[in-house]
Amino acid sequence: MAQKWLRDVSDIARNIPKNQVGGILKKDLIIQPNEKAVIVKDGEVTDVLDSGKIRVGGLLKPGNFFKDVDVVIMDTSPKDLNWNMGELWTADKQKLGCSGLIRFRIGDIKRFFSMVYAYSTTDKKGERALGIEDIYTRLQSEVLTRVLEPEVSRMPMEDIYGNRDLQIKIEDELETQLEETLDMWGLELLKHTAEWDLSEYKTVLEAHQEFQTGEELAELDILSKEGALEGEGRVDVAGVRAKHAPISVEEDFRREQELKEVEARRERERREDEDDIRAAREALKLKEEMHLSKARGMRAGLEVEQDMKDREHGRDMDYMKTVTEAGGADAAKTISEGRELSNLSAAQIEALAKVRESEVKAREDKVEFMKGIEDREREDAYRRQELDAKLMDAAKPVSAGLSAGAGAKVRKCPHCGAMVPVQAKFCGACGKRLIMTDTDGTKY
């Protein structure tokens, strides 16, 4: 039975090993429309097949592929990738978002083939799968973040809001980077859109506008009421003046006093608000000065502590110099070791003693080893001398009766019986001193 790739909308490519293709007698794969199959043998692309049925193995008619191969099926239809960068911060700490659509498809089969093996992992069956989310993860870290964040973070929100030229410039830069990256992966960019989300900033602007409008409307309402009251007052004043001129003067004076009191109260409240703001600013300034003073004090304390440590170190160095000059380097080393041991615990001192004991033992073992090497070399030298003497004796044979005479070249060691040259003072075999007899019978 032929096998198809039951792909999902988000799937782009899938690697199917030959041993995962169903069937014993025949192993067939059906390449559907908008699909291409890449035959991989020994890690290299050997063939690219279009739609149709291909046979990758089986006991009956194994097809063109006798050895184990992998088949990478790729979906060449256009794919849509919805991207979103929801948290971009401007230079003035305003938050905005940017989202859009990236439509692409496979352009270069061989280059995209390398991406399948680079950005996917094998499952338990040995298959590899690459989807839109895998590509989006790479684009987000390698393109979207590297282009949008630096551009947005260096500009205030006022320069971005309503500045279509700037938005187009950023979108063009983003599209260029997307084309380069997708082309490097063997993908072709078909469409790219970007939409800026300034909802939070718009909300702030609307709230500010509503606040200003409300203040202006309230002020106009107050002015209209004041105008109405003033009109009524003028009418009342005219009527009162017609009937009661002295009373009108008294009423005018009372209203003027009330108005002055209102103005005085408003002026007093305004000045109190200004005093409160000034006091708050002075308190903040005082708090900053207190922090600076505290930091300076800590710094001065650290400098004094460091100066005391430097002076103590200088005194120690002078003391060590005096001790070295007076008692030598051994005395200075003993004092230094005593100071170090005074800072260690009993367990640390015991461990240090064991380490030094092992070092001394190692040195003694090394000396014994070198002595053994010297003894073996000395014995080898003696044997070579004896061999040389025997060779010389064989080259110039002497009679047995003259071996100890004046013309003899070798003689026998009285200790071990080995043959040594007559001029030798020590035996090459046993190493003992030889007793020589002069012509007059004197031993030396």
Side-chain angles (χ1 to χ4, degrees):
M1 180 179 180
Q3 182 175 344
K4 295 181 180 180
W5 178 24
L6 302 177
R7 66 176 186 269
D8 191 68
V9 178
S10 61
D11 290 338
I12 299 178
R14 176 172 290 276
N15 172 35
I16 302 177
K18 181 179 177 180
N19 56 9
Q20 294 298 324
V21 179
I24 299 175
L25 301 179
K26 295 187 296 182
K27 292 179 177 288
D28 295 335
L29 285 176
I30 294 179
I31 309 304
Q32 305 177 78
N34 292 330
E35 290 183 355
K36 287 185 181 294
V38 177
I39 306 302
V40 184
K41 181 179 179 181
D42 297 331
E44 296 183 357
V45 176
T46 59
D47 198 1
V48 178
L49 305 176
D50 294 329
S51 302
K53 181 187 291 186
I54 61 173
R55 180 163 297 174
V56 297
L59 298 178
L60 298 178
K61 296 181 180 180
N64 298 326
F65 311 107
F66 294 98
K67 296 184 179 180
D68 289 340
V69 295
D70 291 346
V71 181
V72 179
I73 303 179
M74 302 179 184
D75 185 2
T76 59
S77 60
K79 297 292 183 181
D80 291 342
L81 189 154
N82 295 313
W83 61 273
N84 182 20
M85 298 292 291
E87 292 189 359
L88 297 174
W89 296 92
T90 61
D92 53 352
K93 306 305 179 184
Q94 295 289 336
K95 181 182 177 182
L96 59 87
C98 188
S99 60
L101 172 70
I102 299 175
R103 181 171 295 163
F104 61 91
R105 67 182 177 187
I106 298 175
D108 191 323
I109 296 296
K110 291 188 177 181
R111 267 191 288 177
F112 183 73
F113 163 76
S114 62
M115 183 183 180
V116 173
Y117 280 83
Y119 297 147
S120 65
T121 57
T122 58
D123 57 9
K124 295 180 179 179
K125 297 180 179 180
E127 297 183 3
R128 294 176 179 266
L130 187 68
I132 294 178
E133 290 298 328
D134 300 324
I135 296 179
Y136 176 62
T137 302
R138 295 289 175 176
L139 289 178
Q140 187 177 22
S141 61
E142 297 182 14
V143 179
L144 298 177
T145 304
R146 293 177 59 187
V147 174
L148 293 178
E149 285 189 355
E151 292 290 338
V152 172
S153 62
R154 65 186 182 87
M155 297 180 183
M157 179 63 81
E158 294 182 356
D159 295 344
I160 300 175
Y161 181 73
N163 191 348
R164 185 55 185 165
D165 294 335
L166 177 61
Q167 295 177 5
I168 292 175
K169 179 182 177 182
I170 296 176
E171 292 171 7
D172 292 341
E173 177 66 21
L174 179 60
E175 184 174 358
T176 302
Q177 294 295 328
L178 285 172
E179 287 179 351
E180 293 179 358
T181 303
L182 292 176
D183 182 68
M184 179 182 64
W185 294 342
L187 300 174
E188 179 184 357
L189 180 64
L190 301 177
K191 184 179 179 181
H192 167 252
T193 62
E195 182 179 355
W196 297 88
D197 183 12
L198 308 175
S199 58
E200 294 188 0
Y201 188 66
K202 289 180 180 178
T203 303
V204 173
L205 291 179
E206 290 175 358
H208 184 69
Q209 184 67 27
E210 290 178 358
F211 175 76
Q212 289 185 345
T213 303
E215 290 291 324
E216 292 177 358
L217 291 175
E219 187 67 22
L220 291 174
D221 188 23
I222 293 173
L223 291 176
S224 64
K225 290 180 180 180
E226 288 181 355
L229 291 174
E230 287 179 358
E232 291 175 1
R234 285 196 297 271
V235 173
D236 292 340
V237 168
V240 172
R241 281 180 179 177
K243 296 180 181 180
H244 308 284
I247 296 175
S248 65
V249 174
E250 183 180 356
E251 290 294 328
D252 289 340
F253 177 76
R254 183 178 60 80
R255 283 195 295 271
E256 289 178 356
Q257 291 298 322
E258 290 179 354
L259 182 60
K260 289 181 180 179
E261 288 179 358
V262 171
E263 292 179 350
R265 185 172 64 254
R266 292 179 63 183
E267 181 67 19
R268 183 172 61 254
E269 291 176 354
R270 185 181 65 80
R271 292 184 178 181
E272 288 177 354
D273 293 339
E274 292 179 353
D275 292 339
D276 293 339
I277 293 173
R278 189 182 302 107
R281 290 177 178 175
E282 291 177 356
L284 291 174
K285 185 177 181 181
L286 179 60
K287 186 176 180 180
E288 291 179 357
E289 292 179 354
M290 290 176 62
H291 283 301
L292 292 174
S293 300
K294 186 176 180 180
R296 293 192 189 99
M298 293 177 65
R299 181 177 179 179
L302 292 174
E303 289 178 353
V304 170
E305 183 179 355
Q306 185 63 35
D307 185 60
M308 294 296 293
K309 290 182 179 179
D310 293 341
R311 291 185 179 181
E312 183 178 356
H313 179 68
R315 289 195 298 271
D316 291 341
M317 294 301 294
D318 294 338
Y319 177 70
M320 293 298 295
K321 182 178 179 182
T322 303
V323 170
T324 303
E325 293 176 352
D330 295 336
K333 181 178 179 182
T334 303
I335 294 174
S336 176
E337 291 179 352
R339 290 183 177 179
E340 292 179 357
L341 293 176
S342 64
N343 297 326
L344 300 178
S345 62
Q348 292 175 338
I349 293 174
E350 183 178 358
L352 182 60
K354 291 181 178 179
V355 171
R356 293 184 176 178
E357 183 180 355
S358 63
E359 290 177 353
V360 172
K361 185 176 180 181
R363 285 196 296 269
E364 291 178 353
D365 293 341
K366 184 176 180 181
V367 171
E368 293 296 330
F369 178 73
M370 294 304 295
K371 285 182 178 180
I373 291 175
E374 290 179 358
D375 292 339
R376 287 194 297 271
E377 289 180 350
R378 187 181 297 109
E379 291 178 359
D380 291 339
Y382 288 152
R383 283 194 294 271
R384 285 194 298 270
Q385 289 179 3
E386 182 179 356
L387 182 59
D388 292 341
K390 290 180 179 181
L391 290 174
M392 291 172 64
D393 183 52
K396 295 181 180 181
V398 294
S399 60
L402 299 176
S403 60
K409 300 296 183 181
V410 293
R411 59 174 176 160
K412 185 182 293 185
C413 174
H415 302 288
C416 65
M419 300 301 293
V420 295
V422 294
Q423 66 274 14
K425 296 182 179 181
F426 296 91
C427 178
C430 63
K432 295 183 179 180
R433 186 178 180 84
L434 299 175
I435 301 174
M436 300 181 67
T437 305
D438 200 355
T439 55
D440 57 357
T442 304
K443 294 183 180 180
Y444 61 94

